[in-house]
Amino acid sequence: MDQFAVADGELLIGGQRLSRLADRIGRTPFYACDRSLLTHRVHALRAALPVGIELHYAMKANPMPAVVAHMAGLVDGIDVASGGELQVALDAGADPREISFAGPGKSALELKQALAAGILINIESFREVELLRQLSAETGYAARVAVRVNPDFELKSSGMKMGGGPKQFGVDAEQVPDLLARIGEAGLGFEGFHLFAGSQNLKPEAIVEAQQKSFELALRLAKDAPAPVRVLNLGGGFGIPYFPGEQRLDLAPIGANLAALLQRSQVEMPGVRLVIELGRYLVGEAGVYVCRVVDRKVSRGQVYLVTDGGLHHHLAASGNFGQVIRKNYPVAIGNRMDGAMEPGVSVVGPLCTPLDLLGERMSLAHAEPGDLVVVFQSGAYGITASPQNFLSHPAAAEVLV
Ligand SMILES: *Cc1c(COP(=O)(O)O)cnc(C)c1O
């Protein structure tokens, strides 16, 4: 993966040689996220998008406190998806005015926390309107709300669809006029709309289409809003390449389209702030997962590198987090970057299940016990998206370097 340099046959993470970093951390497995790559990604993205588009970090992609604190200093806002994430975002120093909270099934406790913090709440049901009315009356805290709309279209070619058709997310576009009327009656402070159609998309034309349709839909819905639309969150869905043949997303058409929408918004929704919210795209390529080879076995001619890490730390790389057909994440032997290659090598973990597979029949540098296996593209949906307690092995360390 070209985002990381190599020196003397070793991968450099945060400018440090991998084996030295492993010694400094004191144990394997670990996740390491490269601070300068995070910064670089945000700067490159801003350069590709028109000035005036606001950039939010959806922290469920990587909620490590040090990462959230670093991101909070780079982006315009943080999107949280639970009361727990809200605490981390506030600890990280994020400005509550620029935090928004989405997710189905928000509890009364979470809504009260959100009111007390003064953040923007993306309403996803009629129940939430009623609860917020009661809680706001009880506490005297003003409610800042936006409506999360389940659009009447899908984000095409998306890894995970989160809008269009029947969904647990948001309120169906057809029901939004009613919901807006209730928000007005309840006296909640309406600020805008939130549309999030899907995730992990590598087709710019699909993202452009979804953003255009989201804009049009918001324009139509704005007619029934109890107050002018001040924020329009157009979602995100920007993907990163994981598998052979996948290319990095071409941002040029997306930037051009957002520039056009920005211009239109000045006429058709004056004063609105256009926001996009990204998780994986901002952090995914900056992180690696590193585990150590514990054993090298040959079974009927096939080489297995048995490591101290596996699906309990990295469910996504094992192929069990939303993949339909298992494909290998990019993997390397990080302390033998110029070693002689060996074909047909499988990398497995210590769990007693054949699902515990980090790489299947790959071409890797010849490795022995003690060597370090690196799984790239691991900065998003890593440890917190994995069943860490499964089989009671030690937890993975996490560092930002
Ligand atoms: C998960 C999520 C995101 C982040 O998705 P990525 O694919 O990581 O960019 C953004 N917004 C909402 C509402 C989400 O649920």
Side-chain angles (χ1 to χ4, degrees), residues 4 28 59 79 81-82 117 129 135 152 155 160 190 195 219-220 242 278 288 297-298 306-307 336-337 340 357 380:
F4 295 100
T28 53
M59 65 172 275
D79 291 326
S82 69
V129 177
L135 290 167
D152 41 13
L155 175 54
M160 271 187 214
F190 172 83
L195 290 106
L219 271 183
R220 288 200 300 279
Y242 287 101
L278 302 171
V288 291
K297 294 171 69 170
V298 180
V306 185
T307 70
R336 295 189 188 277
M337 294 302 285
L357 190 59

mmCIF file of all heavy atoms in Angstrom, residues 4 28 59 79 81-82 117 129 135 152 155 160 190 195 219-220 242 278 288 297-298 306-307 336-337 340 357 380:
data_model
loop_
_atom_site.group_PDB
_atom_site.id
_atom_site.type_symbol
_atom_site.label_atom_id
_atom_site.label_comp_id
_atom_site.label_asym_id
_atom_site.label_seq_id
_atom_site.Cartn_x
_atom_site.Cartn_y
_atom_site.Cartn_z
ATOM 1 N N PHE A 4 2.250 4.040 2.890
ATOM 2 C CA PHE A 4 3.297 3.828 3.894
ATOM 3 C C PHE A 4 4.651 3.615 3.207
ATOM 4 O O PHE A 4 4.745 2.827 2.262
ATOM 5 C CB PHE A 4 2.976 2.606 4.752
ATOM 6 C CG PHE A 4 1.740 2.772 5.588
ATOM 7 C CD1 PHE A 4 0.537 2.217 5.176
ATOM 8 C CD2 PHE A 4 1.772 3.503 6.760
ATOM 9 C CE1 PHE A 4 -0.626 2.384 5.933
ATOM 10 C CE2 PHE A 4 0.619 3.677 7.520
ATOM 11 C CZ PHE A 4 -0.585 3.115 7.110
ATOM 12 N N THR A 28 1.923 -7.498 20.855
ATOM 13 C CA THR A 28 1.084 -7.641 19.660
ATOM 14 C C THR A 28 -0.139 -8.432 20.113
ATOM 15 O O THR A 28 -0.072 -9.079 21.164
ATOM 16 C CB THR A 28 1.824 -8.424 18.546
ATOM 17 O OG1 THR A 28 2.298 -9.661 19.081
ATOM 18 C CG2 THR A 28 2.959 -7.615 17.957
ATOM 19 N N MET A 59 -17.676 9.303 13.704
ATOM 20 C CA MET A 59 -16.657 8.666 14.541
ATOM 21 C C MET A 59 -16.878 7.187 14.805
ATOM 22 O O MET A 59 -15.995 6.539 15.361
ATOM 23 C CB MET A 59 -16.490 9.432 15.863
ATOM 24 C CG MET A 59 -17.688 9.414 16.762
ATOM 25 S SD MET A 59 -17.304 10.150 18.392
ATOM 26 C CE MET A 59 -16.594 8.733 19.266
ATOM 27 N N ASP A 79 -19.869 13.501 13.932
ATOM 28 C CA ASP A 79 -21.161 12.825 14.002
ATOM 29 C C ASP A 79 -21.052 11.643 14.941
ATOM 30 O O ASP A 79 -20.182 10.791 14.765
ATOM 31 C CB ASP A 79 -21.592 12.355 12.606
ATOM 32 C CG ASP A 79 -21.923 13.543 11.714
ATOM 33 O OD1 ASP A 79 -22.439 14.538 12.254
ATOM 34 O OD2 ASP A 79 -21.654 13.475 10.512
ATOM 35 N N ALA A 81 -23.096 8.440 17.173
ATOM 36 C CA ALA A 81 -24.215 7.522 16.973
ATOM 37 C C ALA A 81 -24.669 6.874 18.279
ATOM 38 O O ALA A 81 -25.430 5.908 18.271
ATOM 39 C CB ALA A 81 -23.831 6.456 15.942
ATOM 40 N N SER A 82 -24.199 7.408 19.411
ATOM 41 C CA SER A 82 -24.663 6.899 20.707
ATOM 42 C C SER A 82 -24.265 7.906 21.785
ATOM 43 O O SER A 82 -23.425 8.790 21.545
ATOM 44 C CB SER A 82 -24.004 5.546 21.030
ATOM 45 O OG SER A 82 -22.609 5.723 21.285
ATOM 46 N N ALA A 117 -26.117 18.622 26.321
ATOM 47 C CA ALA A 117 -24.862 18.999 25.650
ATOM 48 C C ALA A 117 -25.081 20.112 24.630
ATOM 49 O O ALA A 117 -24.132 20.788 24.241
ATOM 50 C CB ALA A 117 -24.248 17.769 24.978
ATOM 51 N N VAL A 129 -39.703 12.813 18.491
ATOM 52 C CA VAL A 129 -40.261 14.173 18.599
ATOM 53 C C VAL A 129 -40.972 14.325 19.943
ATOM 54 O O VAL A 129 -40.764 15.304 20.677
ATOM 55 C CB VAL A 129 -41.266 14.460 17.457
ATOM 56 C CG1 VAL A 129 -41.902 15.841 17.623
ATOM 57 C CG2 VAL A 129 -40.587 14.347 16.102
ATOM 58 N N LEU A 135 -38.871 16.033 27.272
ATOM 59 C CA LEU A 135 -37.590 16.239 27.953
ATOM 60 C C LEU A 135 -37.187 17.707 27.946
ATOM 61 O O LEU A 135 -36.651 18.216 28.936
ATOM 62 C CB LEU A 135 -36.490 15.398 27.278
ATOM 63 C CG LEU A 135 -36.606 13.891 27.477
ATOM 64 C CD1 LEU A 135 -35.678 13.147 26.512
ATOM 65 C CD2 LEU A 135 -36.261 13.513 28.925
ATOM 66 N N ASP A 152 -36.430 8.370 -1.045
ATOM 67 C CA ASP A 152 -37.188 7.476 -1.910
ATOM 68 C C ASP A 152 -36.293 6.967 -3.044
ATOM 69 O O ASP A 152 -36.755 6.626 -4.112
ATOM 70 C CB ASP A 152 -38.433 8.192 -2.464
ATOM 71 C CG ASP A 152 -38.144 9.629 -2.879
ATOM 72 O OD1 ASP A 152 -36.944 9.983 -2.974
ATOM 73 O OD2 ASP A 152 -39.092 10.397 -3.095
ATOM 74 N N LEU A 155 -28.607 4.607 -2.796
ATOM 75 C CA LEU A 155 -27.262 4.900 -3.295
ATOM 76 C C LEU A 155 -26.819 3.663 -4.052
ATOM 77 O O LEU A 155 -26.576 2.609 -3.461
ATOM 78 C CB LEU A 155 -26.311 5.203 -2.134
ATOM 79 C CG LEU A 155 -24.829 5.423 -2.449
ATOM 80 C CD1 LEU A 155 -24.613 6.499 -3.500
ATOM 81 C CD2 LEU A 155 -24.063 5.788 -1.191
ATOM 82 N N MET A 160 -22.939 -0.980 1.600
ATOM 83 C CA MET A 160 -24.047 -1.159 2.552
ATOM 84 C C MET A 160 -25.076 -0.085 2.258
ATOM 85 O O MET A 160 -24.752 1.099 2.319
ATOM 86 C CB MET A 160 -23.559 -0.964 3.986
ATOM 87 C CG MET A 160 -23.063 -2.207 4.649
ATOM 88 S SD MET A 160 -22.722 -1.893 6.383
ATOM 89 C CE MET A 160 -21.315 -2.980 6.615
ATOM 90 N N PHE A 190 -36.021 23.594 14.780
ATOM 91 C CA PHE A 190 -35.700 22.881 13.533
ATOM 92 C C PHE A 190 -34.530 23.560 12.819
ATOM 93 O O PHE A 190 -34.553 24.776 12.597
ATOM 94 C CB PHE A 190 -36.929 22.851 12.614
ATOM 95 C CG PHE A 190 -36.628 22.317 11.242
ATOM 96 C CD1 PHE A 190 -36.603 20.936 11.020
ATOM 97 C CD2 PHE A 190 -36.347 23.168 10.179
ATOM 98 C CE1 PHE A 190 -36.304 20.434 9.759
ATOM 99 C CE2 PHE A 190 -36.052 22.669 8.915
ATOM 100 C CZ PHE A 190 -36.025 21.295 8.705
ATOM 101 N N LEU A 195 -29.473 13.300 5.238
ATOM 102 C CA LEU A 195 -29.748 12.150 4.364
ATOM 103 C C LEU A 195 -28.483 11.322 4.274
ATOM 104 O O LEU A 195 -27.410 11.856 3.970
ATOM 105 C CB LEU A 195 -30.138 12.619 2.950
ATOM 106 C CG LEU A 195 -31.508 13.285 2.874
ATOM 107 C CD1 LEU A 195 -31.379 14.782 2.697
ATOM 108 C CD2 LEU A 195 -32.309 12.676 1.737
ATOM 109 N N LEU A 219 -35.058 20.165 -0.970
ATOM 110 C CA LEU A 219 -35.765 21.363 -1.460
ATOM 111 C C LEU A 219 -37.273 21.168 -1.361
ATOM 112 O O LEU A 219 -38.004 22.062 -0.926
ATOM 113 C CB LEU A 219 -35.416 21.608 -2.926
ATOM 114 C CG LEU A 219 -34.205 22.456 -3.269
ATOM 115 C CD1 LEU A 219 -34.110 22.616 -4.784
ATOM 116 C CD2 LEU A 219 -34.285 23.813 -2.602
ATOM 117 N N ARG A 220 -37.735 19.983 -1.795
ATOM 118 C CA ARG A 220 -39.185 19.714 -1.746
ATOM 119 C C ARG A 220 -39.680 19.705 -0.304
ATOM 120 O O ARG A 220 -40.706 20.300 0.022
ATOM 121 C CB ARG A 220 -39.503 18.364 -2.405
ATOM 122 C CG ARG A 220 -39.374 18.353 -3.915
ATOM 123 C CD ARG A 220 -40.145 17.185 -4.540
ATOM 124 N NE ARG A 220 -39.721 15.867 -4.110
ATOM 125 C CZ ARG A 220 -38.653 15.208 -4.613
ATOM 126 N NH1 ARG A 220 -37.904 15.771 -5.535
ATOM 127 N NH2 ARG A 220 -38.345 14.017 -4.170
ATOM 128 N N TYR A 242 -10.226 -1.860 -1.125
ATOM 129 C CA TYR A 242 -9.766 -2.957 -0.265
ATOM 130 C C TYR A 242 -9.198 -4.113 -1.083
ATOM 131 O O TYR A 242 -8.274 -4.780 -0.645
ATOM 132 C CB TYR A 242 -10.935 -3.511 0.570
ATOM 133 C CG TYR A 242 -11.403 -2.618 1.689
ATOM 134 C CD1 TYR A 242 -12.546 -1.833 1.551
ATOM 135 C CD2 TYR A 242 -10.717 -2.570 2.899
ATOM 136 C CE1 TYR A 242 -12.988 -1.024 2.579
ATOM 137 C CE2 TYR A 242 -11.154 -1.764 3.943
ATOM 138 C CZ TYR A 242 -12.288 -0.993 3.776
ATOM 139 O OH TYR A 242 -12.720 -0.192 4.800
ATOM 140 N N LEU A 278 -18.223 11.732 6.676
ATOM 141 C CA LEU A 278 -17.452 10.577 6.244
ATOM 142 C C LEU A 278 -16.787 9.904 7.437
ATOM 143 O O LEU A 278 -16.322 10.574 8.356
ATOM 144 C CB LEU A 278 -16.359 11.020 5.270
ATOM 145 C CG LEU A 278 -16.832 11.752 4.015
ATOM 146 C CD1 LEU A 278 -15.651 12.316 3.253
ATOM 147 C CD2 LEU A 278 -17.643 10.812 3.132
ATOM 148 N N VAL A 288 -3.299 0.419 10.311
ATOM 149 C CA VAL A 288 -2.937 -0.983 10.053
ATOM 150 C C VAL A 288 -3.249 -1.811 11.293
ATOM 151 O O VAL A 288 -3.307 -1.281 12.415
ATOM 152 C CB VAL A 288 -1.431 -1.148 9.725
ATOM 153 C CG1 VAL A 288 -1.089 -0.530 8.387
ATOM 154 C CG2 VAL A 288 -0.554 -0.584 10.829
ATOM 155 N N LYS A 297 2.870 -23.668 9.832
ATOM 156 C CA LYS A 297 2.484 -25.071 9.650
ATOM 157 C C LYS A 297 2.276 -25.357 8.177
ATOM 158 O O LYS A 297 1.834 -24.482 7.425
ATOM 159 C CB LYS A 297 1.168 -25.355 10.387
ATOM 160 C CG LYS A 297 1.287 -25.232 11.891
ATOM 161 C CD LYS A 297 -0.074 -25.293 12.563
ATOM 162 C CE LYS A 297 -0.697 -26.679 12.465
ATOM 163 N NZ LYS A 297 -1.910 -26.741 13.338
ATOM 164 N N VAL A 298 2.578 -26.598 7.797
ATOM 165 C CA VAL A 298 2.281 -27.005 6.433
ATOM 166 C C VAL A 298 1.264 -28.144 6.523
ATOM 167 O O VAL A 298 1.510 -29.153 7.193
ATOM 168 C CB VAL A 298 3.548 -27.473 5.683
ATOM 169 C CG1 VAL A 298 3.199 -27.882 4.255
ATOM 170 C CG2 VAL A 298 4.600 -26.368 5.682
ATOM 171 N N VAL A 306 0.207 -19.117 11.500
ATOM 172 C CA VAL A 306 -0.726 -18.952 12.621
ATOM 173 C C VAL A 306 -0.239 -17.764 13.431
ATOM 174 O O VAL A 306 0.927 -17.727 13.848
ATOM 175 C CB VAL A 306 -0.771 -20.218 13.506
ATOM 176 C CG1 VAL A 306 -1.835 -20.057 14.586
ATOM 177 C CG2 VAL A 306 -1.030 -21.463 12.668
ATOM 178 N N THR A 307 -1.114 -16.776 13.620
ATOM 179 C CA THR A 307 -0.694 -15.545 14.302
ATOM 180 C C THR A 307 -1.401 -15.391 15.649
ATOM 181 O O THR A 307 -2.328 -16.155 15.974
ATOM 182 C CB THR A 307 -1.042 -14.302 13.454
ATOM 183 O OG1 THR A 307 -2.476 -14.155 13.455
ATOM 184 C CG2 THR A 307 -0.552 -14.449 12.023
ATOM 185 N N ARG A 336 9.564 -7.721 6.506
ATOM 186 C CA ARG A 336 10.279 -8.355 5.377
ATOM 187 C C ARG A 336 9.695 -7.828 4.070
ATOM 188 O O ARG A 336 9.262 -8.603 3.217
ATOM 189 C CB ARG A 336 10.109 -9.886 5.427
ATOM 190 C CG ARG A 336 10.743 -10.531 6.643
ATOM 191 C CD ARG A 336 10.736 -12.036 6.529
ATOM 192 N NE ARG A 336 11.162 -12.646 7.773
ATOM 193 C CZ ARG A 336 12.447 -12.818 8.109
ATOM 194 N NH1 ARG A 336 13.403 -12.466 7.284
ATOM 195 N NH2 ARG A 336 12.752 -13.363 9.267
ATOM 196 N N MET A 337 9.681 -6.514 3.942
ATOM 197 C CA MET A 337 9.023 -5.911 2.784
ATOM 198 C C MET A 337 9.776 -6.177 1.492
ATOM 199 O O MET A 337 9.200 -6.080 0.425
ATOM 200 C CB MET A 337 8.826 -4.400 2.982
ATOM 201 C CG MET A 337 7.863 -4.034 4.110
ATOM 202 S SD MET A 337 6.198 -4.717 3.916
ATOM 203 C CE MET A 337 5.531 -3.654 2.638
ATOM 204 N N ALA A 340 11.884 -12.532 -0.225
ATOM 205 C CA ALA A 340 11.468 -13.358 -1.371
ATOM 206 C C ALA A 340 10.033 -13.829 -1.158
ATOM 207 O O ALA A 340 9.655 -14.242 -0.059
ATOM 208 C CB ALA A 340 12.397 -14.548 -1.508
ATOM 209 N N LEU A 357 -9.696 -16.227 9.635
ATOM 210 C CA LEU A 357 -8.819 -16.198 8.474
ATOM 211 C C LEU A 357 -8.532 -14.734 8.156
ATOM 212 O O LEU A 357 -9.451 -13.957 7.935
ATOM 213 C CB LEU A 357 -9.607 -16.849 7.328
ATOM 214 C CG LEU A 357 -8.953 -17.197 6.024
ATOM 215 C CD1 LEU A 357 -7.811 -18.171 6.237
ATOM 216 C CD2 LEU A 357 -10.007 -17.842 5.113
ATOM 217 N N ALA A 380 -10.506 1.863 9.809
ATOM 218 C CA ALA A 380 -11.940 2.019 10.078
ATOM 219 C C ALA A 380 -12.580 0.664 10.336
ATOM 220 O O ALA A 380 -12.196 -0.331 9.720
ATOM 221 C CB ALA A 380 -12.631 2.689 8.890
#
